[in-house]
Amino acid sequence: MRKELMAAVIFPLALGQAGVTLAQSTVNAFQTTASGNSGQATSELFYMIQQLQGEVRRLKGETEEQRHLIERLQKQGRDRYIDLDQRILDLSEKLSEQSQAAPASVSATDEDSSENIREYRQPDAEEREAYQEIQDLIQKQKKYDEAISRLYEFIDNYPEGDLTVNAYYWLGEVYLAKPKPEQARQAFSIVATRYPDHRKAPDAVYKLGVALDKLDEKAEARQHMERVVKDYPDTGAAQLARKFLDSEGT
């Protein structure tokens, strides 16, 4: 009887202990599994972070390359703009010095004669080909940005020639088409003031007036239109200038 009583007591205790042990084992197994899953998740997250960091570094490198490219292009644009502006300034100073140094006895006829004897360097085959390629960029392909760069190169490579004056004129035309009237004004000014006897001069003076009108410098624009009519009366530019003046009520 005592043995049976002890067995009745011990068995439930043993069963309870087994249950506790089983529960503890289950908890430990769950914790181990969770810990393993957590480690895997952490590894995957770390891998993703590494991938993202690599992508960020790649994009940052591309961004830096683009930034350097933009800065270089901006610097080239500023340098060209400054160079063009400086050429106009130098020309204005030279013209001012010449007008001050010119003797009073020189007549308008003498000045016209001195201008008429001016000769422009004629282009060779290579220069003509380069100029024609630029014309194709402007008139057929409408690639104005590329044309602007090629025009500056042309002016640098073939200075003071007949087609050089044309290049300055077309530089103004392209800037008007962009539209960048201030840069167009400067380009047309070079033709109008430095090459007044060139065949492109009437058109340049007229387009200079157009650029000034777009810059809302109305009075100065009218002055240039009147100059076209006065100095180049029998040209197509003069006809356009008259229409402009008529539309302005002058």
Side-chain angles (χ1 to χ4, degrees), residues 28 55 59 70 75 88 98 115 120 200 203 211 245-246:
N28 290 339
E55 184 68 12
L59 292 174
I70 291 172
K75 184 177 184 301
I88 294 174
Q98 290 175 1
E115 288 180 354
Y120 292 91
K200 278 294 182 182
D203 292 330
L245 294 171
D246 291 341

Side-chain angles (χ1 to χ4, degrees), residues 53-66:
Q53 287 178 339
E55 184 68 12
V56 168
R57 286 193 294 268
R58 184 183 68 79
L59 292 174
K60 184 177 180 181
E62 292 180 356
T63 301
E64 285 296 313
E65 290 178 1
Q66 293 294 327

Side-chain angles (χ1 to χ4, degrees), residues 82-95:
I82 292 171
D83 179 68
L84 184 58
D85 191 58
Q86 186 60 48
R87 290 184 184 187
I88 294 174
L89 180 60
D90 293 341
L91 176 61
S92 299
E93 292 176 351
K94 288 180 180 179
L95 290 175

Side-chain angles (χ1 to χ4, degrees), residues 226-244:
E226 291 169 354
R227 175 187 167 189
V228 178
V229 174
K230 178 183 177 182
D231 294 348
Y232 312 101
D234 299 325
T235 62
Q239 295 179 6
L240 293 173
R242 290 188 186 97
K243 291 180 180 179
F244 177 91

Side-chain angles (χ1 to χ4, degrees), residues 208-221:
L208 176 55
V210 172
L212 289 166
D213 184 65
K214 291 183 178 297
L215 290 168
D216 203 29
E217 298 181 17
K218 304 295 185 180
E220 192 171 352

Side-chain angles (χ1 to χ4, degrees), residues 44 63 75 98 124 171 173 180 190 237:
E44 292 177 354
T63 301
K75 184 177 184 301
Q98 290 175 1
D124 57 19
L171 188 61
E173 286 279 22
K180 292 185 176 180
I190 289 179

